[in-house]
Amino acid sequence: PLVPLVAVAACAATFSTAALAEWKPRKPIEMIIMAGTGGGADQIARLIQGLIEKNKLSPRPVIPINKPGGSGAEALRYMEDKAGDDHTVLVTLNSFYTTPTIQPDLGVDVSKFTPIGRMAIDNFLLWVHTDDKDITDVDSYVAAVKAAGKEWKVGGTGSGQEDSILTAMMEKEFGYEVTYIPFPGGGTVAKNLVGKHINSTVNNPAEQNEFYRAGNTKPLVQFTAERLPAYPDIPTAKELGIDIEYYMQRSLNGPPGMSAEAQAWYMDLFKQVFDSDEWQQFCVDDGLDCGEWSAGDDLAAFHAEQLTRHVELIEAVGASAITGE
């Protein structure tokens, strides 16, 4: 697989109880979301914020702030400029890897960010509107796209991000070309599919589930190693002989230079959220893979591996195919 689901070992970083006792946030914590409202990252951030508040895990409030500009470039630059700040964390997508790669002038080196914890691995499915009665599987989907040509509109989150990478992978695999339309967040993408302003999308489950349950949209294939418990009747691409498997990490990271004491406090905070029954159930219900907790140095190693893989992916499909430029 392009982004393997092999669980990264539990955090190897150690920290003292005294350090945890000494450092606590002295002001509200900014939780920066590198995507728009209503999408998977936004939903996850606000669920985490709600669980922290409900269980009184932090002495200061956590404030979710959306910064979706430039496919997450706005958020990354903001974090870079917050170097040394102990009261700012970032909720990441795979644009954590792709955006600084495609936009080198951004001046952001994500390997310098402070790794805190990975909450889950998210998944991708191919979605169409339920009114498309003639599209019942991948073969009929490909036939419809080839017949429509560039008139076929695929909506996705941002340009040069996960959705556009997966769309480019599909174009290469199936030998067609589509018109990719970027939106600031997965929630907006989902609404545009329901409103028939686009023809298909590769939304994450959490972004489409509301409309899927309401009967407005339908999934055709899962780009996963195995069928998700939330979609037992939907085949994987692998089952169909299609060589596409792709995932997205959902992790929290601090800016460069965050203090070790603050990093340790946040690792403990988000580990409590990760271990909660509510979070684990959310992963099952919304088609995420919680896997095993990964934090600190182990998360840094995971980031390094995925950065390399995404550079290779971008080279394989071409940056222009991803950005539309």
Side-chain angles (χ1 to χ4, degrees):
L2 294 168
V3 182
L5 269 178
V6 176
V8 182
C11 170
T14 60
F15 47 87
S16 68
T17 304
L20 281 175
E22 289 169 8
W23 193 90
K24 289 183 180 180
R26 303 180 307 279
K27 59 183 181 179
I29 300 161
E30 292 187 351
M31 179 182 280
I32 306 302
I33 307 161
M34 55 190 305
T37 58
D42 184 64
Q43 290 183 39
I44 285 170
R46 292 175 193 280
L47 173 60
I48 291 172
Q49 183 266 337
L51 292 175
I52 291 171
E53 182 177 343
K54 172 187 172 184
N55 296 299
K56 298 180 172 57
L57 302 179
S58 173
R60 294 289 184 267
V62 176
I63 313 297
I65 301 172
N66 297 86
K67 290 186 177 293
S71 298
E74 176 190 7
L76 290 171
R77 189 63 246 180
Y78 183 81
M79 295 296 292
E80 184 78 22
D81 294 338
K82 282 275 191 173
D85 189 287
D86 284 348
H87 292 81
T88 308
V89 296
L90 177 69
V91 179
T92 62
L93 303 78
N94 286 359
S95 48
F96 186 67
Y97 315 122
T98 59
T99 293
T101 299
I102 294 173
Q103 301 181 45
D105 293 343
L106 190 59
V108 171
D109 181 357
V110 295
S111 70
K112 303 297 185 186
F113 282 31
T114 303
I116 295 173
R118 191 185 65 201
M119 302 298 293
I121 295 291
D122 208 346
N123 300 289
F124 292 88
L125 286 81
L126 173 63
W127 303 86
V128 295
H129 201 286
T130 49
D131 285 352
D132 289 326
K133 305 296 185 186
D134 292 336
I135 299 178
T136 57
D137 54 19
V138 172
D139 288 343
S140 53
Y141 172 82
V142 172
V145 176
K146 286 184 174 179
K150 296 283 281 186
E151 293 297 314
W152 191 271
K153 299 179 179 65
V154 176
T157 302
S159 175
Q161 289 185 225
E162 308 83 13
D163 294 0
S164 54
I165 285 180
L166 185 48
T167 298
M169 291 166 68
M170 292 173 68
E171 286 181 314
K172 188 173 182 179
E173 175 75 17
F174 298 124
Y176 60 55
E177 289 188 16
V178 299
T179 295
Y180 179 81
I181 301 178
F183 294 93
T188 306
V189 175
K191 291 174 183 175
N192 272 271
L193 180 59
V194 173
K196 301 182 181 179
H197 304 299
I198 56 176
N199 301 104
S200 63
T201 177
V202 289
N203 266 161
N204 303 120
E207 297 164 341
Q208 277 292 335
N209 274 339
E210 173 188 352
F211 304 108
Y212 172 51
R213 291 163 183 157
N216 302 127
T217 61
K218 59 186 179 183
L220 301 176
V221 65
Q222 311 183 55
F223 299 106
T224 54
E226 298 177 354
R227 296 190 186 193
L228 300 171
Y231 305 94
D233 300 324
I234 306 303
T236 67
K238 183 179 178 181
E239 289 175 42
L240 302 175
I242 300 167
D243 187 24
I244 301 178
E245 195 174 324
Y246 188 60
Y247 307 95
M248 175 152 59
Q249 56 91 21
R250 302 287 191 182
S251 69
L252 289 129
N253 301 270
M258 173 180 275
S259 72
E261 293 80 10
Q263 180 191 23
W265 188 88
Y266 286 115
M267 286 163 60
D268 180 70
L269 171 69
F270 293 113
K271 176 66 160 58
Q272 292 182 67
V273 175
F274 179 86
D275 287 338
S276 69
D277 291 341
E278 295 98 329
W279 179 258
Q280 294 294 323
Q281 191 59 50
F282 167 75
C283 286
V284 172
D285 293 343
D286 282 68
L288 284 78
D289 181 358
C290 278
E292 294 185 20
W293 174 249
S294 174
D297 291 344
D298 286 337
L299 180 57
F302 175 84
H303 283 328
E305 176 189 353
Q306 298 313 317
L307 180 59
T308 298
R309 288 183 179 276
H310 279 82
V311 169
E312 293 171 351
L313 260 179
I314 291 167
E315 290 175 350
V317 298
S320 60
I322 297 169
T323 62
E325 296 172 357

